[in-house]
């Protein structure tokens, strides 16, 4: 299953503005959750149908509607009709390979972003698309599956912690984006520790397993970079937005959000450079070890050249070799051999060749 590129075969020859689900279905059933709140009251329910929303729209000042599961295109279409969402926006919502971006119109702000997870079983990163459609008093979020990083925000809503119950619905959107970006930094810290631990391993025991780890982390960082680079551009666009949906009171929070994304992006770039340097150090260490081995083998080969020469002389078939008649000729030969070996080893040591 590809991670970097999702095949778009379902959208071939489809009329623009026709919502078609693109991606891998991650939920069997779509779930609709609603949180309606104001400064004094909060209700949290799970709905069975879109039609049930009507009774909450006029009752609560602020509504957060969360959809888990994008494969149900008909349900997404019903939401689009209820809130007058453009068909091109609906098309982007159900396309899970949508590039992170921010679109602003007079009455809404649409944001597409990637929520990252660490799959502990596969030891690799996974991305889930999250789309946010912001109206004056309603925030609709679309996720691929159940489970997210939004639970701390839900707890703040339930327990009246922080500003989220007192500020408008735009601040809630900021809070959701904030926890997504915070999770980026948490994942980068986790990967950063592993990358930095590789340095000692490379110096002490450079082996094939280390090389595999370096390549694995490079792939994961490239996958992370694919999501975070356009996210940085999208978040940065909030600085230039001029809309009544973001007041002067919320604008500083979105400016701070860009700094957090930039920090994550810088971490990705730093660790990518660090891995490249580690790969260079690994290659250098392996080459140095190979050179040391070749040096030792060469020294032994050079030592055995004169010994082989001497043995070759006395291994010839000539009948008259003067030294053959000496009673101690054998020991003299060994003495000469050992003398040559000692002289050569001393010379190599003097030259610091080993």
């Amino acid at each position: 299953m590809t991670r970097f590129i999702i095949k778009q075969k379902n959208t071939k020859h489809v009329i623009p503005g026709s919502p078609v689900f693109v991606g891998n279905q991650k939920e069997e059933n779509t779930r609709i959750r609603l949180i309606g709140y104001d400064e004094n009251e909060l209700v949290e329910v799970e709905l069975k149908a879109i039609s049930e929303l009507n009774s909450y729209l006029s009752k609560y000042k602020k509504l957060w509607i969360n959809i888990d599961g994008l494969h149900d295109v008909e349900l997404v279409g019903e939401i689009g009709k209820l809130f007058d969402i453009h068909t091109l926006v609906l098309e982007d919502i159900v396309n899970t390979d949508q590039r992170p971006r921010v679109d602003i119109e007079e009455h809404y702000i649409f944001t597409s972003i990637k929520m990252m997870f660490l799959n502990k079983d596969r030891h690799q990163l996974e991305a889930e698309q999250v789309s946010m459609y912001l109206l004056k008093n309603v925030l609709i979020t679309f996720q691929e599956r159940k489970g997210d990083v939004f639970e701390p925000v839900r707890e703040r809503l339930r327990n009246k912690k922080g500003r989220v119950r007192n500020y408008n619905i735009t601040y809630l959107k900021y809070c959701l984006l904030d926890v997504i970006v915070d999770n980026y930094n948490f994942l980068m810290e986790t990967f950063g520790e592993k990358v930095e631990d590789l340095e000692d391993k490379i110096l002490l025991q450079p082996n094939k397993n280390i090389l595999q780890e370096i390549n694995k982390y490079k792939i994961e960082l490239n996958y992370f970079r694919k999501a975070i680079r356009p996210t940085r551009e999208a978040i940065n666009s909030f600085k230039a937005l001029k809309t009544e949906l973001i007041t002067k009171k919320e604008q500083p929070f979105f400016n701070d959000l860009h700094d957090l994304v930039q920090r994550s992006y810088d971490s990705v770039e730093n660790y990518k450079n660090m891995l490249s340097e580690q790969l260079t150090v690994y290659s250098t260490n392996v080459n140095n070890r190979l050179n040391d081995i070749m040096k030792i083998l060469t020294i032994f080969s050079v030592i055995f050249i004169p010994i082989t020469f001497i043995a070759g002389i006395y291994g010839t078939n000539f009948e008259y070799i003067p030294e053959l008649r000496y009673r101690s000729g054998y020991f003299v030969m060994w003495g000469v051999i050992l003398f040559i070996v000692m002289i050569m080893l001393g010379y190599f040591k003097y030259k610091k060749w080993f």
Side-chain angles (χ1 to χ4, degrees):
M1 182 176 67
T2 59
R3 288 198 297 157
F4 282 82
I5 298 176
I6 297 177
K7 295 181 179 180
Q8 306 284 322
K9 60 182 180 180
N10 291 342
T11 61
K12 190 176 181 180
H13 305 310
V14 173
I15 299 173
S18 302
V20 176
F21 176 67
V22 176
N24 301 304
Q25 182 174 334
K26 298 178 180 179
E27 286 293 334
E28 184 176 351
N29 299 311
T30 302
R31 181 171 64 166
I32 309 169
R33 288 182 292 172
L34 178 143
I35 295 180
Y37 66 96
D38 54 29
E39 296 83 352
N40 303 312
E41 188 178 0
L42 180 141
V43 62
E44 186 173 359
V45 295
E46 185 170 332
L47 307 179
K48 295 181 180 179
I50 297 299
S51 57
E52 297 180 27
L53 282 171
N54 293 319
S55 60
Y56 295 94
L57 290 174
S58 58
K59 186 175 182 181
Y60 293 93
K61 293 181 179 179
K62 290 162 273 190
L63 283 179
W64 173 18
I65 304 165
N66 187 79
I67 312 297
D68 296 323
L70 302 180
H71 60 279
D72 193 342
V73 177
E74 292 184 4
L75 185 143
V76 175
E78 289 181 33
I79 296 176
K81 290 180 181 178
L82 181 62
F83 294 99
D84 193 25
I85 302 175
H86 197 282
T87 54
L88 288 175
V89 175
L90 294 177
E91 184 179 14
D92 292 339
I93 289 172
V94 295
N95 183 351
T96 61
D97 197 37
Q98 178 62 45
R99 192 174 190 268
R101 76 174 204 276
V102 174
D103 290 338
I104 179 171
E105 295 294 339
E106 184 177 351
H107 67 287
Y108 75 84
I109 299 176
F110 173 71
T111 306
S112 176
I113 192 171
K114 299 296 182 183
M115 184 161 50
M116 306 296 293
F117 298 96
L118 178 61
N119 189 316
K120 295 182 179 179
D121 296 329
R122 297 180 180 177
H123 302 287
Q124 66 181 22
L125 289 170
E126 292 183 355
E128 175 189 343
Q129 177 169 300
V130 176
S131 298
M132 301 181 183
Y133 192 82
L134 176 68
L135 297 166
K136 186 175 181 180
N137 296 314
V138 179
L139 175 63
I140 311 170
T141 55
F142 300 86
Q143 302 181 47
E144 294 185 51
R145 60 185 174 186
K146 299 175 184 177
D148 51 41
V149 296
F150 297 151
E151 199 57 34
V153 179
R154 294 188 182 98
E155 287 298 321
R156 274 184 267 167
L157 283 168
R158 293 164 186 151
N159 301 319
K160 291 187 178 181
K161 291 183 178 180
R163 308 177 179 90
V164 65
R165 290 275 290 270
N166 298 319
Y167 278 38
N168 63 23
I169 198 73
T170 304
Y171 183 77
L172 174 62
K173 177 171 182 172
Y174 156 76
C175 291
L176 299 182
L177 291 172
D178 182 62
V179 293
I180 290 176
V181 174
D182 276 345
N183 193 51
Y184 288 171
N185 288 315
F186 170 75
L187 291 174
M188 272 298 93
E189 290 174 2
T190 302
F191 270 91
E193 291 176 357
K194 295 179 179 180
V195 171
E196 292 179 19
D197 288 342
L198 285 177
E199 292 185 355
D200 293 334
K201 295 180 181 179
I202 290 172
L203 295 175
L204 295 176
Q205 41 182 233
N207 53 47
K208 291 183 179 180
N209 292 332
I210 299 297
L211 181 60
Q212 290 176 355
E213 285 191 65
I214 292 175
N215 289 329
K216 181 181 73 172
Y217 293 145
K218 287 189 73 173
I219 291 172
E220 296 307 310
L221 285 175
N222 283 331
Y223 184 70
F224 204 121
R225 188 172 182 268
K226 176 180 179 289
I228 201 172
R229 186 175 182 178
T231 298
R232 182 187 61 161
E233 298 171 4
I235 296 298
N236 187 45
S237 64
F238 277 109
K239 287 186 174 182
L241 291 181
K242 293 182 179 180
T243 171
E244 295 180 356
L245 294 175
I246 299 180
T247 65
K248 292 182 178 180
K249 189 164 59 173
E250 289 91 32
Q251 190 63 56
F253 295 104
F254 286 97
N255 295 342
D256 181 68
L257 192 62
H258 175 261
D259 294 337
L260 291 176
V261 176
Q262 185 63 47
R263 176 188 168 190
S264 298
Y265 182 79
D266 290 343
S267 297
V268 172
E269 293 298 310
N270 289 336
Y271 286 124
K272 274 177 73 6
N273 293 334
M274 187 178 294
L275 284 171
S276 297
E277 292 172 0
Q278 288 176 350
L279 188 59
T280 301
V281 172
Y282 171 83
S283 300
T284 302
N285 285 344
V286 170
N287 290 333
N288 288 340
R289 289 185 65 188
L290 181 60
N291 290 338
D292 290 339
I293 294 171
M294 293 303 297
K295 185 190 297 183
I296 296 299
L297 293 176
T298 303
I299 288 173
F300 274 101
S301 299
V302 171
I303 290 173
F304 275 93
I305 288 174
I307 296 174
T308 305
F309 174 73
I310 294 172
I313 291 176
Y314 291 97
T316 57
N317 296 322
F318 294 108
E319 183 177 353
Y320 299 104
I321 297 178
E323 293 83 355
L324 292 177
R325 297 176 182 177
Y326 294 160
R327 183 179 295 274
S328 57
Y330 174 76
F331 300 103
V332 171
M333 183 189 71
W334 271 108
V336 172
I337 290 174
L338 293 175
F339 176 75
I340 292 174
V341 170
M342 296 301 295
I343 289 297
M344 295 185 74
L345 288 175
Y347 180 76
F348 295 154
K349 187 72 174 178
Y350 173 75
K351 287 290 188 179
K352 296 182 180 179
W353 289 353
F354 67 91

